[in-house]
């Protein structure tokens, strides 16, 4: 008779991180299809508030290492790219170096979208085209980055043999594979 299999689990993403992630995902998706008006603006400002809350949480409040912020250096980015080429990965919990950079870029784009959306409604820039043109450009970049994010999650799940989507739903790292 063999010993029962024990599954080890650790917290990868706190409830706060998961809730803010899925709210941003939902609201960004809604705003892609709701291109103007009161609800578009309200959702955009709410996304900015969520990003600011998440930044505050990652800088000062989180006790879980994977939910805290770090600045990936060039060496860690090169190392991760090398790992992808050879398909051998260092065990880590949370974002890899490229994933962490993508998070910062997504949040910066959301902040830029809120700013340019607000500017386009102010008296100082009423009738000016550049805030709207920049808003559209930032939106297009964000759409592309969202697609890249989804592809990267699927690709890294397969390469690492970890169900990263399940981790973002449950918050737990388990030894089970995709």
């Amino acid at each position: 008779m063999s010993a029962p299999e024990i599954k080890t689990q650790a917290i990868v993403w706190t409830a706060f991180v998961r809730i803010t992630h899925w709210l941003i995902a939902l609201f960004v998706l809604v705003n892609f299809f709701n291109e103007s008006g009161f609800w578009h603006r309200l959702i955009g400002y709410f996304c900015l508030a969520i990003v600011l809350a998440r930044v505050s949480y990652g800088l000062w409040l989180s006790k879980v290492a994977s939910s805290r912020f770090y600045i990936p250096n060039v060496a860690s980015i090169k190392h991760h790219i090398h790992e992808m080429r050879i398909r051998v990965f260092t065990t880590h919990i949370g974002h890899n170096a490229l994933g962490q950079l993508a998070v910062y870029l997504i949040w910066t784009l959301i902040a830029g979208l809120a700013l340019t959306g607000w500017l386009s409604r102010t008296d100082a820039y009423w009738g000016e085209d550049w805030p709207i043109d920049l808003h559209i450009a930032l939106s297009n970049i964000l759409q592309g980055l969202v697609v890249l994010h989804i592809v990267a999650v699927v690709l890294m799940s397969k390469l690492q043999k970890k169900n990263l989507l399940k981790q973002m739903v449950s918050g737990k790292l388990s030894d089970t594979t995709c």
Side-chain angles (χ1 to χ4, degrees):
M1 192 159 148
S2 64
E5 182 179 325
I6 298 172
K7 292 184 180 180
T8 58
Q9 292 188 332
I11 296 293
V12 179
W13 305 115
T14 64
F16 185 81
V17 169
R18 289 179 285 129
I19 290 167
T20 56
H21 173 272
W22 292 112
L23 283 174
I24 288 285
L26 173 66
F27 292 143
V28 165
L29 181 65
V30 167
N31 261 3
F32 284 159
F33 298 104
N34 177 27
E35 295 181 0
S36 64
F38 171 78
W39 289 108
H40 180 84
R41 288 190 304 278
L42 184 65
I43 290 169
Y45 296 144
F46 191 62
C47 283
L48 177 61
I50 294 171
V51 166
L52 293 174
R54 179 61 183 93
V55 167
S56 298
Y57 182 77
L59 287 173
W60 300 295
L61 301 173
S62 179
K63 304 284 189 259
V64 176
S66 59
S67 298
R68 296 192 59 80
F69 293 154
Y70 72 95
I71 305 296
N73 58 34
V74 174
S76 65
I77 293 168
K78 286 180 178 178
H79 180 70
H80 179 66
I81 292 169
H82 173 72
E83 287 180 337
M84 289 190 321
R85 276 193 217 123
I86 65 170
R87 297 182 181 199
V88 175
F89 298 93
T90 305
T91 301
H92 68 278
I93 296 176
H95 287 116
N96 60 50
L98 289 177
Q100 193 69 29
L101 285 179
V103 166
Y104 297 150
L105 183 54
I106 288 170
W107 291 344
T108 301
L109 288 167
I110 289 170
L113 284 162
L115 177 64
T116 56
W118 174 75
L119 282 176
S120 69
R121 310 275 308 163
T122 63
D123 289 342
Y125 296 102
W126 187 258
E128 294 284 335
D129 290 336
W130 72 264
I132 295 168
D133 293 342
L134 183 55
H135 190 80
I136 291 167
L138 293 175
S139 175
N140 290 336
I141 294 167
L142 181 59
Q143 288 177 40
L145 197 53
V146 165
V147 170
L148 181 61
H149 172 66
I150 293 167
V151 168
V153 167
V154 171
L155 178 66
M156 291 308 296
S157 289
K158 295 294 181 193
L159 290 175
Q160 293 179 308
K161 296 179 177 46
K162 291 181 183 178
N163 191 333
L164 299 176
L165 179 61
K166 183 178 178 183
Q167 290 178 13
M168 187 50 78
V169 172
S170 72
K172 295 180 179 157
L173 173 69
S174 67
D175 61 2
T176 58
T177 58
C178 299

